[in-house]
Amino acid sequence: MPNSSLRTSTPGTVLQVSALLPALEDALSEHFHTVRLTELPDPADYLRDHGKDVVAAVTSARVGVSDAVMDALPRLGAIVHFGVGYETTDVIRARARGIDVSNTPDVLTDCVADLAVGALIDVMRRMSAADRYVRAGNWGTTPFPLASRMSGKRVGILGLGRIGRAVAQRLDGFGAQVAYCTRSPVPGVDYRHLPTAEALAEACDALVVTVAGGHGTKGLVSAAVLDALGPEGYLVNVARGSVVDEPALVAAIEAERIAGAALDVFADEPNVPRGLLESDRVVLLPHIASATHETRAAMGDLALRNVRRFMTEGILLTPVPEASPTTH
Ligand code: NAP
Ligand code: 8YV
């Protein structure tokens, strides 16, 4: 991790709230007085006795900082997320206390979009299923079923932010007809805007979910949206498991009311419902959309630069927007 001269001017402890990239953990420990909460024998004891020493908290997008931990840190001034999502932290509560919050936007966009398009091709062309078929020794015995063409299809993107736009750019190269749904149309974008997730699903052959997580998008991909997608339609989710009504998805897969799904995220990770595990028409990925050497290093570097900026200048480098999209 490239950081030669980190100098601390904000006295106080950096609290590492969750496990992080090892290189980021090492850099934090090397340059700041860092305490790893999850490695302590009794985290509650630490928070009670030393919570007043903590000035910055670093956490993963998946874990965030709970209200209880935030409340135990009276001098906390910054929450730094490793990851772009931050719905796991109550940003409004933090801001009300004067705590600033950062994430790691942009640096992971390409890899997440690459994986979304790869997952779409996988589920439509049945690549993972074909791999299982070959490994099972079925080649030459039973014919492998025909799949669906991806090029030229109508693809709906739910959430046309940084990642959604990168997915759309890639799909342009496949001659796809892209449409999207956001709460308001994105200025300067030529793709067709549809006002609801249901209208988007109705109008496409595949729905790719790239919206922010949090209360505002919980269950946005409902049973009605899956029905609108229909028996020839495919779902790809690289956003958050909470965005999809998972029991409704299991029911739709089991009843073949949609053609297939490719999922990188789940409602209760790492638990995956049996109905998805047992379906050959579902591609299952363990939340790996940003998990490349290059992107994780860039995320770690950006998170570290946020901590450094806060500890030296009292401000964050990439603060989350004032009006956070869907959090709390
Ligand atoms: P972003 O630039 O903030 O984009 C979020 C998009 O969601 C915006 O277009 C926003 O548009 C839209 N949106 C929010 N609420 C909506 C609603 N109710 N209906 C329709 N659209 C809505 O964020 P990003 O950088 O693209 O990242 C998107 C998300 O991807 C992250 O928040 C994270 O949860 C997820 N992610 C997952 C992985 C992974 O490993 N699988 C990795 C990185 C990110 P409007 O505000 O105009 O509605
Ligand atoms: C990571 C993510 O898996 O950035 C996000 O929002 O979900 C992913 O990039 C996560 O940040 C690791 O905690």
Side-chain angles (χ1 to χ4, degrees):
M1 194 143 296
N3 57 89
S4 47
S5 58
L6 299 184
R7 296 171 63 84
T8 302
S9 64
T10 304
T13 298
V14 173
L15 185 66
Q16 185 190 311
V17 176
S18 70
L20 297 168
L21 186 76
L24 175 58
E25 293 190 345
D26 291 348
L28 290 171
S29 297
E30 188 181 341
H31 297 289
F32 306 103
H33 176 251
T34 301
V35 171
R36 297 180 186 173
L37 193 62
T38 54
E39 294 180 13
L40 297 175
D42 194 334
D45 271 1
Y46 173 83
L47 291 173
R48 189 187 58 240
D49 298 339
H50 302 284
K52 61 185 179 318
D53 302 332
V54 173
V55 294
V58 188
T59 187
S60 71
R62 284 192 240 178
V63 173
V65 174
S66 68
D67 292 351
V69 170
M70 214 187 292
D71 289 350
L73 309 173
R75 289 176 58 218
L76 187 67
I79 297 174
V80 172
H81 292 91
F82 173 83
V84 74
Y86 51 88
E87 76 285 352
T88 43
T89 297
D90 186 340
V91 176
I92 291 170
R93 186 188 188 94
R95 289 244 161 88
R97 274 209 26 214
I99 301 167
D100 208 355
V101 178
S102 70
N103 63 349
T104 59
D106 300 313
V107 293
L108 43 64
T109 296
D110 281 337
C111 275
V112 178
D114 291 350
L115 185 119
V117 174
L120 177 62
I121 298 173
D122 188 333
V123 69
M124 292 187 79
R125 297 298 308 274
R126 301 177 58 97
M127 288 164 66
S128 291
D131 179 273
R132 289 191 291 275
Y133 162 92
V134 173
R135 288 174 199 280
N138 291 332
W139 196 7
T141 55
T142 52
F144 188 73
L146 296 181
S148 294
R149 175 186 167 120
M150 191 279 252
S151 289
K153 287 287 168 67
R154 301 171 304 161
V155 183
I157 302 182
L158 185 53
L160 201 74
R162 290 169 290 248
I163 294 169
R165 260 176 284 193
V167 170
Q169 280 169 4
R170 283 155 177 72
L171 291 172
D172 286 342
F174 288 89
Q177 301 161 57
V178 173
Y180 73 100
C181 168
T182 46
R183 287 168 295 184
S184 34
V186 180
V189 162
D190 288 336
Y191 305 118
R192 181 178 172 210
H193 178 261
L194 287 152
T196 65
E198 204 172 325
L200 183 67
E202 180 84 50
C204 68
D205 303 303
L207 183 65
V208 180
V209 183
T210 61
V211 287
H215 292 313
T217 55
K218 190 167 166 37
L220 189 60
V221 179
S222 60
V225 171
L226 295 170
D227 282 341
L229 195 55
E232 312 278 300
Y234 295 86
L235 175 74
V236 174
N237 187 8
V238 295
R240 285 291 183 263
S242 59
V243 180
V244 175
D245 178 341
E246 206 167 72
L249 174 61
V250 172
I253 286 288
E254 284 176 344
E256 303 196 9
R257 285 188 283 109
I258 65 168
L263 309 166
D264 185 47
V265 286
F266 301 87
D268 179 29
E269 297 172 6
N271 301 307
V272 178
R274 183 183 294 268
L276 300 179
L277 289 170
E278 288 176 350
S279 173
D280 213 31
R281 294 180 298 111
V282 179
V283 176
L284 299 168
L285 303 169
H287 202 145
I288 52 163
S290 70
T292 63
H293 294 296
E294 298 87 343
T295 285
R296 287 288 166 87
M299 291 164 63
D301 188 48
L302 187 52
L304 182 65
R305 287 192 287 134
N306 270 287
V307 179
R308 175 172 50 188
R309 181 66 79 89
F310 177 75
M311 297 299 274
T312 56
E313 298 174 36
I315 55 168
L316 289 167
L317 186 63
T318 51
V320 303
E322 274 304 318
S324 54
T326 65
T327 43
H328 293 86

